[in-house]
């Protein structure tokens, strides 16, 4: 149960991070110069990669838990 609470807390923190990173990324795209625009693009792309990784980890955890229950039900453990 504590693992699920941790996952929910991490997902909420990731959502908050995404909001701020995307906001600042859009603001950086509005500035003049190559460096601010490059940082703005990075602030839009990198958080999305992080979100995809977190989703993949959560899906893996759910599938592993399902497999563990199935093995336990079959007395394979």
């Amino acid at each position: 149960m504590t693992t699920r609470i941790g996952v929910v807390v991490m997902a909420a923190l990731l959502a908050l991070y995404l909001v701020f990173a995307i906001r600042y990324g859009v603001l950086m795209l509005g500035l003049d110069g190559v460096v601010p625009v490059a940082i703005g693009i990075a602030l839009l792309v990198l958080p999305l990669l992080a979100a995809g990784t977190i989703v993949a980890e959560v899906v893996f955890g759910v599938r592993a838990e399902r497999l563990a229950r199935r093995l336990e039900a079959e007395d394979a453990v």
Side-chain angles (χ1 to χ4, degrees):
M1 189 64 172
T2 58
T3 304
R4 290 184 184 175
I5 293 171
V7 169
V8 169
V9 168
M10 290 300 294
L13 290 174
L14 176 65
L16 183 64
Y17 167 70
L18 285 173
V19 168
F20 283 110
I22 290 171
R23 180 178 182 271
Y24 286 119
V26 170
L27 289 174
M28 294 290 274
L29 289 176
L31 297 175
D32 293 331
V34 176
V35 174
V37 171
I39 292 172
I41 291 170
L43 282 172
L44 294 176
V45 172
L46 293 177
L48 296 177
L49 291 174
T53 303
I54 294 292
V55 168
E57 290 294 326
V58 169
V59 168
F60 172 76
V62 168
R63 288 181 179 172
E65 187 176 323
R66 189 180 315 146
L67 178 61
R69 281 194 307 256
R70 182 176 168 189
L71 288 173
E72 186 176 322
E74 295 176 359
D75 291 328
V77 177

